[in-house]
Amino acid sequence: MEKVKKPHGRKHRRRRQRSLRQALYYCIPVCVVLAYMGTMAIGHGTNKLQYWYESNHMGVENARIWDDGYEILIDSNGVVHCSYVGKEEPGYDVSSQDPMQRIIYELISYMQVILIPLWILACVGLTVWIFYKRELEKPLRVLQDASEKIADNCLDFQMEPVKDNELGRLREGFEKMRAALYENNRTTWQQLEERKRLNAAFAHDMRTPITVLKGYGEMLERYVPEGRISQDKLMEILGMMNGQILRLESYTQKMSSIRKLEDLEPGPAPIPAAALREKLRGMCEILGEDISYSFDGEGTLCLDEALVLEVCENLVSNGLRYARQMLQVTVRVAEGELTAPEEEQDRILEVVVEDDGPGFGPEELRHATEPFYRGEGQMEQCHFGLGLYICRLICAKCGGSLALSNSVRGGRVTARFKIFRKNKKVDKKLIDMQ
């Protein structure tokens, strides 16, 4: 088998996962840098504005303006010189200026006290907005849409992919839950539909024996009191009525067995391949002499022996009804799903029953495994059309399948059973899905 080369290079490197906490840590320096740069710009700008207002609107030249230890000297060229002095230093107090000029001057002085906190809040808000847009908005929207659809029982959808962080893993959990609910609902719906078809088919086939019994009953009720029926004819009618009653009883037993199979959970157990080979050989010898039998497999097989034998018996009995001279039974152990990982691969037991009869027609290939299906020439009372349906149901319960086809000589039925690993429980959900 050719080995698959692993991708290499920078383009194929797995992207490093980043948590929400790390993403927030990356946003904080941006906020700090913006706040620092804005604070410096606000302080420098308000000082420039203050100097400009003093030199152009306060109307002082070669004067010292002193305000609580802060001295401003404006020379004749309009250049402003600033310095800090002690409170005991005399000077020209700004309070001596015009009241409106004084208010404007104080507003400019305290402008940075107001603008700096506002700028810091704006930086924090911008950082939160960026973090929300980059990390939270899409995952929260995807989760909210999914929760609304799940609440409305709409499960046939696919959730959008998001970043691989805490919310991404939460989205994966939601997706697994949605897929599980969808499969469970689909399986339940299929079971209900199968039950409806089974009940409808059963009710349809029950009409014939009931109608026959009703007709015979009316005939006996009309003619027996008049003595117009001979003893032999009466016994014949009673025999036919008894046959219809036996048919109804057989119908009831079949339906009961089907309902039990629907709730059946296989119990796989180890069995040597040699022992299974001999049991199948003995079954073929009892059912018919013209049966060609072969078994290819060894070791220990973990499966439900009773269910395998039941399916094989039904298939061989069904094949004998159509075989002209020969019936071939081939049993072999094959590999399961090869695309699965090596440690998860399971083997299958394949049972192939071929006859040299007329084979399956197009309609029979599509509907022969449905309950109560009978093709042309199969309307005898002893045949109810449930054999292949029961085999399909058992194979599905055992993790396998039942397939119909035509070979060169005649019809072919292939039953597959999953061979479970030792001490491995049956995955009931996987079986029900099939």
Side-chain angles (χ1 to χ4, degrees), residues 31 35-36 39 42 115-125:
C31 176
Y36 175 77
T39 300
I42 290 173
L115 293 180
I116 290 177
L118 291 178
W119 173 251
I120 293 176
L121 291 176
C123 291
V124 172

Side-chain angles (χ1 to χ4, degrees), residues 290 316 318-328 353-361 364 378 405-413:
D290 299 329
V316 173
N318 189 71
L320 287 173
R321 293 209 317 269
Y322 303 100
R324 296 188 178 96
Q325 296 179 352
M326 186 274 300
L327 184 71
Q328 174 70 39
V353 179
E354 297 179 272
D355 60 66
D356 58 351
F360 295 102
E364 291 174 330
Q378 301 179 7
S405 61
N406 288 316
S407 63
V408 178
R409 294 173 293 185
R412 176 194 292 141
V413 182

